Amino acid sequence: MKRFVFFFVISLIFSLMGLPARELTFKVSASPMLPFLSSGNGRYGSIGVTGDFQGGIMFFDWLNIGPEFRYMMLPKNNASELPETASQYVNFFAGGFHFGALLYPASRIELELGGSFGPYFSISGSYEHSAPYYKAFADVAFRLTPNWTIGAEAAWLDHQYDTYWGEPGAAGIAIGVSVRYKFDTEESTQNVLGTVAQDDSVFPILYTLYKEAPFATITLTNDETAEIRNVQVLFRAGKYTGSELECGRIGVLKKHKSAEIPLTADFTKEILNFTEEGKIPGEIVVNYELLGQKRVSVSQVIIPVYNRNQLRWTDSASLASFISPTAPEILEYSKVLVGLARSHQRSGLNRNLQYAIYVFEGMRLSGIAYKEDETTPYDATHMDYEAIDYIQYPYQTMMYKAGDKDDLGVLFMSLLQSTGIDAAFIPAEDDFIVAFNLKLDSSKVNSFFDGRDRVLDINDEIWIPVSMSGIKEGFVNSWYKAIEKLNDMQANEETIEFVNISESWQTYPSVGYSGADDINILPLESALIASAETNISRYITAEFGPQIAALQERIKAEGISVKLLNQLGMLYLRAGMYSSAITVYERSAKMGSATAMVNLGNIASIQKRFNDAKIWFEKALETDPKNKSAKTNLERIQREFDE
């Protein structure tokens, strides 16, 4: 009996080690005992009773360890033959150490698998005996509350006789009922808490990205009275979000445990009203189930936000979000500039080039100038990935009539994109270069340029680069300045980053933010036309002049021929030099060239001299009845007359 008491006390002390902030369990079980595995035939009757008490401490959220006490009574097989004064039962007193895995396969189901061991003491009348005992058990219970369960336990019991193993004095199966109570030594708020850890503030300009790209981490802590299941975590921030966006789900979160979930948000354009750095009050909404019952927990959080003009140059493509081709002031401004370009368009020249020249010169003549940002200068800021830059929206640059290099580039690209011209940019170390797509196949570059020295060949398409630091110098000078800069970068083996706006919008959509102010900065119409035409003439002289001169030298050297005259006429036509083209084609037509006659008809059509055009197409058919171009154009002219 002394050994039993000693072992029970030692196991209790050992179990209580590390008690602070632990969950304690107390279980009572009672069941009939079937001692059919006992050694010695006929030692006990067919059935007895046993009752157990287990105290335990939870470790690792599943391991239940603690002391155990048992009382068992087995009737003797010959009890009916014994005198009344003799003991008819054998009483067992056991105390030991139990361990088990406590699991929760479903919200209301508790399962424990375990075992125990220790000494027991048995007594029958004046006879006493002690030896080790062993037990293996399984318990399936229904959770009435997070603290109380009631269940059924099945156990195998083995009380040894004179050995530590192999000679059972009383062994068998016990199947009965159990009741368990749990006590949590750590105070519970009976709630689920959500907190937010944010490495960086939210950039309003990138607000559409945060629906997919996390900007912070939610730490979810279960402070309920039991594990929670089917956990759904959402975020909302009043007018700053369009919906409660689901950030993530957790199948099971154990009591007093935490889990991390990326924080995403369905921000709205309201976030763009932050003209200074500020904070957004938000809520972490947690839907979950506790023992099958649905519950909701809401935690208040604060989200720091940068102002709407701030951006970090971690990814240059993110600048695309500032480009606003659909902003009302951009559409109105570009409509006027391109309208003038269209009314003075030369059909032989590249359309995108002419439109871009008018837009660029329109910006310059509107008084929009380059002015370095003293607080966050482009040259220093865009090279520092940790620095926060201040970028103007297009309407701000129009309103202020000034901006840093990147601000001017954002405005220019917005105007280009609004007219359907694809734009890109190259962030050079000390310049910001905008490029626009001519939609000209690389194989046809010699038809519009004197070689490839002043153009960019990107994926077999020709682009024109323009320096934003050279805006006051006019389009052509700014173009040449950009080429010079790119050549220097190549010579110095610097990285040339070409950022295509249409492609960048796939990741960084345009915010399209617009100001409420009415901005009227249109240049004088006559001044714009004169300046744009001057730059177009400079382009023609530089790119077509050498080709025209070379062809004229060939004519002098080889003599006049239809072939050379037609080539010269085509150069004049592409350059928009219609008077010169007419003179050359007329000479070729006199030599019997149907091609020259067709081109004369085309020039007449462009100039809306439809009678002359009709005459030339008819002459071409007289010269070459099978000329399809002459026939098609004549039919078109005839429809003009009919209308």
Side-chain angles (χ1 to χ4, degrees):
M1 184 68 176
K2 291 180 180 179
R3 284 186 293 173
F4 156 69
V5 174
F6 174 77
F7 194 88
F8 182 81
V9 172
I10 291 298
S11 64
L12 179 61
I13 294 173
F14 180 77
S15 300
L16 294 176
M17 291 176 62
L19 182 61
R22 296 287 185 182
E23 188 175 55
L24 307 181
T25 65
F26 305 94
K27 185 176 81 169
V28 177
S29 59
S31 60
M33 166 64 175
L34 306 176
F36 61 88
L37 297 177
S38 304
S39 62
N41 294 326
R43 177 177 293 182
Y44 303 109
S46 59
I47 189 169
V49 295
T50 181
D52 283 19
F53 169 79
Q54 290 180 342
I57 302 176
M58 294 297 296
F59 296 90
F60 314 116
D61 300 315
W62 62 271
L63 182 59
N64 188 22
I65 301 175
E68 176 182 75
F69 175 78
R70 176 183 309 108
Y71 170 72
M72 183 173 68
M73 183 179 69
L74 297 178
K76 296 179 179 178
N77 191 38
N78 59 350
S80 60
E81 301 172 3
L82 298 175
E84 293 182 2
T85 57
S87 175
Q88 298 181 355
Y89 299 92
V90 179
N91 297 287
F92 295 79
F93 300 91
F97 187 77
H98 81 89
F99 56 92
L102 205 58
L103 308 173
Y104 301 94
S107 60
R108 287 282 185 175
I109 302 300
E110 180 182 84
L111 174 64
E112 185 177 22
L113 302 173
S116 62
F117 61 90
Y120 78 89
F121 174 79
S122 65
I123 182 170
S124 177
S126 61
Y127 178 76
E128 296 182 359
H129 183 74
S130 62
Y133 80 89
Y134 308 98
K135 175 183 177 181
F137 65 92
D139 193 339
V140 180
F142 180 78
R143 304 171 75 183
L144 300 172
T145 70
N147 302 101
W148 288 97
T149 62
I150 183 169
E153 180 182 277
W156 167 75
L157 299 171
D158 184 342
H159 297 73
Q160 290 291 295
Y161 190 60
D162 285 329
T163 62
Y164 282 94
W165 185 261
E167 187 184 346
I173 300 295
I175 301 177
V177 297
S178 66
V179 176
R180 188 193 309 272
Y181 175 74
K182 295 179 188 174
F183 175 74
D184 195 348
T185 61
E186 183 176 349
E187 186 177 355
S188 173
T189 62
Q190 299 187 19
N191 203 349
V192 178
L193 178 66
T195 58
V196 171
Q198 200 170 336
D199 293 333
D200 199 3
S201 299
V202 168
F203 288 98
I205 186 65
L206 304 179
Y207 78 91
T208 58
L209 273 67
Y210 295 123
K211 195 170 184 178
E212 302 292 338
F215 61 91
T217 301
I218 300 171
T219 298
L220 205 64
T221 302
N222 176 15
D223 207 22
E224 273 284 8
T225 53
E227 84 283 355
I228 57 177
R229 298 172 182 268
N230 300 324
V231 183
Q232 181 191 35
V233 184
L234 307 102
F235 176 77
R236 65 191 180 198
K239 66 180 181 179
Y240 296 108
T241 51
S243 64
E244 286 187 355
L245 185 66
E246 180 180 304
C247 301
R249 290 177 178 264
I250 302 173
V252 178
L253 184 59
K254 295 181 179 179
K255 183 168 60 172
H256 301 316
K257 296 297 178 182
S258 298
E260 292 186 348
I261 292 177
L263 174 56
T264 53
D266 181 20
F267 287 123
T268 65
K269 274 194 172 184
E270 284 290 334
I271 199 173
L272 293 172
N273 290 325
F274 279 86
T275 56
E276 301 292 339
E277 294 186 30
K279 296 179 179 180
I280 292 177
E283 294 179 330
I284 304 297
V285 181
V286 185
N287 298 317
Y288 61 96
E289 294 179 5
L290 179 70
L291 298 188
Q293 295 182 342
K294 293 184 177 181
R295 295 191 177 186
V296 179
S297 175
V298 178
S299 299
Q300 307 294 324
V301 296
I302 297 296
I303 306 299
V305 181
Y306 288 117
N307 81 57
R308 65 190 178 201
N309 288 93
Q310 289 181 307
L311 183 68
R312 184 179 284 114
W313 284 84
T314 308
D315 183 359
S316 300
S318 60
L319 190 69
S321 291
F322 280 96
I323 297 169
S324 311
T326 59
E329 56 273 355
I330 292 296
L331 291 173
E332 185 65 28
Y333 190 47
S334 65
K335 181 179 70 173
V336 175
L337 300 181
V338 173
L340 288 175
R342 188 178 293 112
S343 64
H344 292 79
Q345 182 176 341
R346 306 187 190 195
S347 61
L349 293 182
N350 181 270
R351 165 192 172 275
N352 285 5
L353 177 60
Q354 294 179 79
Y355 286 8
I357 290 174
Y358 268 84
V359 169
F360 188 92
E361 290 301 300
M363 286 175 54
R364 184 177 68 85
L365 294 173
S366 294
I368 297 174
Y370 160 53
K371 182 179 180 181
E372 183 178 80
D373 186 334
E374 295 179 357
T375 305
T376 59
Y378 164 80
D379 290 356
T381 309
H382 88 283
M383 300 296 290
D384 184 354
Y385 294 159
E386 296 300 321
I388 301 294
D389 197 5
Y390 184 94
I391 310 291
Q392 292 178 180
Y393 289 89
Y395 88 91
Q396 291 175 311
T397 303
M398 293 173 65
M399 185 168 58
Y400 304 149
K401 288 190 175 184
D404 210 335
K405 299 164 189 172
D406 48 355
D407 300 325
L408 299 180
V410 166
L411 173 57
F412 186 39
M413 288 186 285
S414 297
L415 293 168
L416 290 172
Q417 292 286 164
S418 71
T419 65
I421 300 175
D422 289 333
F425 68 90
I426 300 169
E429 183 176 352
D430 56 356
D431 203 349
F432 188 90
I433 298 172
V434 172
F436 57 91
N437 192 344
L438 297 182
K439 285 298 180 182
L440 177 66
D441 189 89
S442 177
S443 62
K444 298 179 180 179
V445 65
N446 291 328
S447 298
F448 295 90
F449 297 92
D450 185 29
R452 298 172 179 266
D453 293 342
R454 289 188 286 268
V455 298
L456 303 180
D457 189 339
I458 308 295
N459 298 325
D460 293 327
E461 288 188 324
I462 301 303
W463 295 66
I464 296 291
V466 185
S467 166
M468 290 297 100
S469 65
I471 187 170
K472 69 177 182 179
E473 301 170 21
F475 178 84
V476 172
N477 288 339
S478 183
W479 170 17
Y480 292 169
K481 185 175 182 179
I483 290 296
E484 182 180 357
K485 180 60 183 178
L486 293 173
N487 288 338
D488 289 343
M489 292 175 68
Q490 281 188 322
N492 296 328
E493 297 184 349
E494 297 179 33
T495 300
I496 298 178
E497 183 183 9
F498 187 87
V499 184
N500 186 299
I501 298 305
S502 296
E503 293 176 0
S504 298
W505 277 337
Q506 301 301 313
T507 304
Y508 301 100
S510 170
V511 167
Y513 189 68
S514 174
D517 300 319
D518 183 18
I519 303 173
N520 184 9
I521 58 171
L522 290 172
L524 188 65
E525 183 176 314
S526 59
L528 174 56
I529 295 171
S531 180
E533 292 302 313
T534 297
N535 278 271
I536 290 173
S537 296
R538 287 188 63 189
Y539 154 71
I540 291 171
T541 301
E543 303 301 333
F544 288 93
Q547 298 182 59
I548 291 172
L551 198 53
Q552 288 173 336
E553 287 299 320
R554 283 188 61 189
I555 293 174
K556 289 180 181 180
E558 300 175 17
I560 297 175
S561 67
V562 169
K563 179 181 178 181
L564 292 178
L565 286 175
N566 285 345
Q567 289 179 3
L568 182 59
M570 183 56 66
L571 282 174
Y572 284 133
L573 184 59
R574 286 173 177 165
M577 301 170 67
Y578 298 136
S579 297
S580 298
I582 291 172
T583 300
V584 172
Y585 279 134
E586 284 180 344
R587 292 183 67 181
S588 180
K590 288 179 180 179
M591 298 173 67
S593 172
T595 300
M597 298 173 189
V598 170
N599 284 328
L600 286 167
N602 288 332
I603 294 172
S605 295
I606 292 170
Q607 296 177 337
K608 301 191 181 303
R609 294 183 290 108
F610 299 117
N611 284 324
D612 292 340
K614 180 173 179 294
I615 292 171
W616 281 117
F617 292 139
E618 289 174 343
K619 285 183 178 181
L621 284 174
E622 291 174 3
T623 304
D624 180 10
K626 295 183 179 180
N627 193 303
K628 293 182 179 179
S629 180
K631 183 178 180 181
T632 301
N633 284 317
L634 182 60
E635 291 174 352
R636 176 176 56 81
I637 290 297
Q638 190 60 53
R639 286 197 297 272
E640 292 284 348
F641 284 123
D642 293 341
E643 292 176 1

